[in-house]
Amino acid sequence: MLKIRVIPVLLWDGKQAVQSTNFKRPHRPVGSMMQHVENYEQRNIDELIILDVEATRENREPLYEAIKEYTSQLFCPVTVGGGIHKLEDITKLLQAGADKVAINTSLLDNPSFVADAVQKFGAQAIVASINNIYDHGINIICNSDGTQTQGIPTRRVCKYAEELGCGEILLTDVWANGTYQGYNTDCIFECSYDISIPIIAYGGCGTLRHVVDALRAGANAVAASSMFLHRDITPKDVSRYIQKEGFDARV
């Protein structure tokens, strides 16, 4: 059985590290990306996710040279997302030091691209980034470019990602994002019930207890951003806590 991964997430606008609540703009600046990257490397983290939250909205490619600079400081696996629309984008990101790429909008509007990416780079390199909103009984998929697709249950999109061959899912709850109120455990449970690929729960984590709740709901890994930046909790604190709660973590 694989150990539970505890994964910090750095949100990036192409210039600096940022934070958000419920995906609302403008994002809040939280300092230098390199400073945060170096800090996490010193903490011997399991993995790091870097999401360029403005690349798709600004209709630009990923910033490969900057990614290369960040990954050169890291000795853990790195997932990079944002602005990925072509196989060439993935090739360049992997050459820049990314171990995996997170693909968002193409899951629904260009599924053949996702399938081609899996075939060329392998399932282990492709993460399906799925943003969930549950609003008045309707599931809404929130795309990275700000558009929304209504009426498709998030669990079906997760199943579709698995059918396309994605190696794992980064499942983000938009309403929980940045709130510290806990993960959307109902969504995690629904989505994990029908798929066999790992789910990384993201959005809303504010306490150690929230992590255990997500794992018991079916998450295979947990990701957090604001908690690690603004509260006196480190990724290793999380790993030690979940190990005490009976989960196998790297401590």
Side-chain angles (χ1 to χ4, degrees):
M1 185 176 180
L2 296 177
K3 292 182 181 293
I4 300 297
R5 291 168 292 155
V6 178
I7 309 173
V9 178
L10 284 174
L11 305 181
W12 178 42
D13 66 1
K15 304 178 184 68
Q16 60 193 333
V18 296
Q19 285 290 281
S20 67
T21 301
N22 309 135
F23 280 36
K24 293 179 180 177
R25 289 178 171 85
H27 300 298
R28 302 187 304 277
V30 291
S32 160
M33 275 288 291
M34 183 58 79
Q35 182 178 3
H36 290 303
V37 165
E38 292 175 343
N39 178 58
Y40 281 133
E41 175 53 36
Q42 292 171 6
R43 293 184 182 277
N44 190 27
I45 57 175
D46 297 334
E47 191 171 329
L48 181 67
I49 296 174
I50 297 175
L51 299 177
D52 186 337
V53 295
E54 295 294 353
T56 298
R57 185 167 176 261
E58 294 175 356
N59 194 30
R60 61 170 167 79
E61 292 184 349
L63 301 177
Y64 307 110
E65 289 303 315
I67 292 297
K68 185 175 182 179
E69 185 178 359
Y70 300 144
T71 58
S72 70
Q73 304 301 310
L74 294 162
F75 294 92
C76 66
V78 182
T79 298
V80 178
I84 301 170
H85 299 290
K86 307 185 300 294
L87 294 179
E88 183 183 6
D89 298 335
I90 300 175
T91 298
K92 290 181 178 180
L93 283 173
L94 297 178
Q95 290 173 343
D99 298 275
K100 296 181 280 188
V101 297
I103 298 175
N104 184 282
T105 53
S106 297
L107 279 170
L108 295 176
D109 63 22
N110 191 6
S112 62
F113 163 64
V114 179
D116 289 345
V118 170
Q119 184 175 14
K120 180 171 182 178
F121 302 103
Q124 79 288 342
I126 307 301
V127 178
S129 178
I130 299 173
N131 302 327
N132 171 77
I133 302 176
Y134 191 74
D135 189 18
H136 298 95
I138 299 174
N139 287 83
I140 303 171
I141 304 302
C142 183
N143 300 316
S144 60
D145 61 358
T147 61
Q148 296 180 349
T149 304
Q150 297 191 28
I152 302 176
T154 306
R155 67 180 185 275
R156 291 187 184 174
V157 182
C158 289
K159 185 65 176 177
Y160 189 41
E162 181 181 43
E163 291 169 351
L164 289 171
C166 298
E168 59 185 337
I169 292 169
L170 176 63
L171 181 61
T172 305
D173 190 83
V174 174
W175 288 150
N177 169 256
T179 66
Y180 302 103
Q181 298 301 307
Y183 296 100
N184 185 337
T185 53
D186 289 339
C187 180
I188 294 168
F189 178 78
E190 283 187 9
C191 294
S192 65
Y193 184 80
D194 196 34
I195 64 173
S196 59
I197 60 175
I199 286 180
I200 305 168
Y202 178 47
C205 188
T207 70
L208 296 172
R209 192 72 216 169
H210 290 157
V211 175
V212 173
D213 292 342
L215 296 175
R216 288 181 174 161
N220 307 93
V222 287
S225 181
S226 299
M227 181 179 73
F228 292 140
L229 292 177
H230 302 303
R231 296 195 169 180
D232 190 23
I233 299 174
T234 70
K236 278 295 174 281
D237 291 334
V238 175
S239 294
R240 285 189 285 267
Y241 182 80
I242 63 178
Q243 186 177 61
K244 289 179 182 178
E245 292 293 314
F247 295 93
D248 191 10
R250 189 173 74 92
V251 291

